Amino acid sequence: MSIRCTVWGENIHERENPVVASIYPDGLHTTIAQALSEDSGIVPRTVTLQDPAQGCSPDILAETDVLVWWGHKAHGAVSDRAVENVTKRVWAGMGLIVLHSGHFSKVFKALMGAPCSLKWREAGERERIWAVNPSHPIAAGLPGCFELEHEEMYGEPFAIPEPLETVFISWFQGGEVFRSGVTYQRGAGRIFYFRPGHETYPTYHDGNVHRVLRNAVRWAAPVGAPRENICDAPNVPVHEALEPIEARGPSLHGPGSAGYR
């Protein structure tokens, strides 16, 4: 069965910055989707911040097996409703791939419960990406390391929770290192953060990066039906208790009440 992949793009830099527009004339989201489409088992589509519901409507997400997220300039413009829609679907089983500056997105920070801060420098440095977990499915078919001639530096400490797995570590020309490929599980949903992708460099035209993205989508794809009720908090009536009981003492909530949220 094909993997339905939605690529979410902020779509601002490529419309406002001539350097970015020259590298990604159809938008970063389109270039990423084209790379994913090289795998016949992945069916990508694109949405942007400018779309209705900011591209994060329940209907779109219900038809998404894996969401790929690229944002930078407008993290604050993403609505709380969009964030809630995305995070609920991840908990229910939708896969999520967060790219580059998406570490500061509301979606990623909400799922990590952490500031996700780091050191950075924009100097077009060489980045050497090491597959420190070469047997991981996301590293399949990749060399032990590969290089990007020009990239923005991200440096440790990276204020994230301890990853489930670290797949890649980067070294930069200025000497810093960074956990550039890490995985998480939130509820039924798998999450992969991948560091490279600064918009003024042609990172998303690189063949090794393409392979990482395709591998990541396949790894993050859900297995089985989504857990639609995972975010529910049902008030179980006394008569539905597994063992016979009687209600004792005062209660703030009546039978069937949804409670405070």
Side-chain angles (χ1 to χ4, degrees), residues 69-205:
W69 190 279
W70 192 99
H72 188 186
K73 188 176 183 179
H75 295 318
V78 177
S79 70
D80 291 342
R81 175 60 60 84
V83 174
E84 181 179 5
N85 290 345
V86 171
T87 54
K88 286 180 68 174
R89 291 306 300 173
V90 172
W91 279 93
M94 181 182 73
L96 176 67
I97 313 299
V98 178
L99 302 176
H100 190 59
S101 45
H103 72 91
F104 261 161
S105 66
K106 290 181 178 179
V107 164
F108 190 62
K109 290 197 292 185
L111 288 164
M112 294 299 103
C116 303
S117 54
L118 45 80
K119 295 191 297 185
W120 61 282
R121 180 173 56 242
E122 192 177 5
E125 298 172 53
R126 181 182 304 110
E127 177 180 4
R128 184 173 296 139
I129 301 168
W130 290 90
V132 294
N133 192 349
S135 63
H136 196 281
I138 296 177
L142 289 162
C145 70
F146 64 93
E147 293 186 357
L148 300 172
E149 187 60 33
H150 301 285
E151 253 298 350
E152 180 181 22
M153 182 278 290
Y154 280 5
E156 298 285 349
F158 190 12
I160 52 174
E162 187 65 25
L164 180 65
E165 303 157 306
T166 299
V167 184
F168 301 110
I169 288 178
S170 288
W171 166 91
F172 293 88
Q173 201 169 353
E176 289 86 358
V177 296
F178 190 76
R179 290 168 288 169
S180 55
V182 293
T183 73
Y184 294 92
Q185 181 99 19
R186 292 293 183 267
R190 288 178 164 186
I191 301 169
F192 177 61
Y193 171 76
F194 188 49
R195 195 220 69 83
H198 190 59
E199 56 269 34
T200 59
Y201 309 123
T203 299
Y204 294 120
H205 295 292

Side-chain angles (χ1 to χ4, degrees), residues 235-248:
N235 178 359
V236 181
V238 169
H239 69 273
E240 292 183 9
L242 296 178
E243 301 290 343
I245 59 170
E246 293 182 3
R248 300 185 297 176

Side-chain angles (χ1 to χ4, degrees), residues 4 6 45 55-66 85-86 89 94 222 226 228:
R4 302 169 300 175
T6 299
R45 66 172 170 180
C56 298
S57 71
D59 288 344
I60 286 175
L61 297 174
E63 297 176 349
T64 300
D65 298 316
V66 179
N85 290 345
V86 171
R89 291 306 300 173
M94 181 182 73
E228 299 289 356

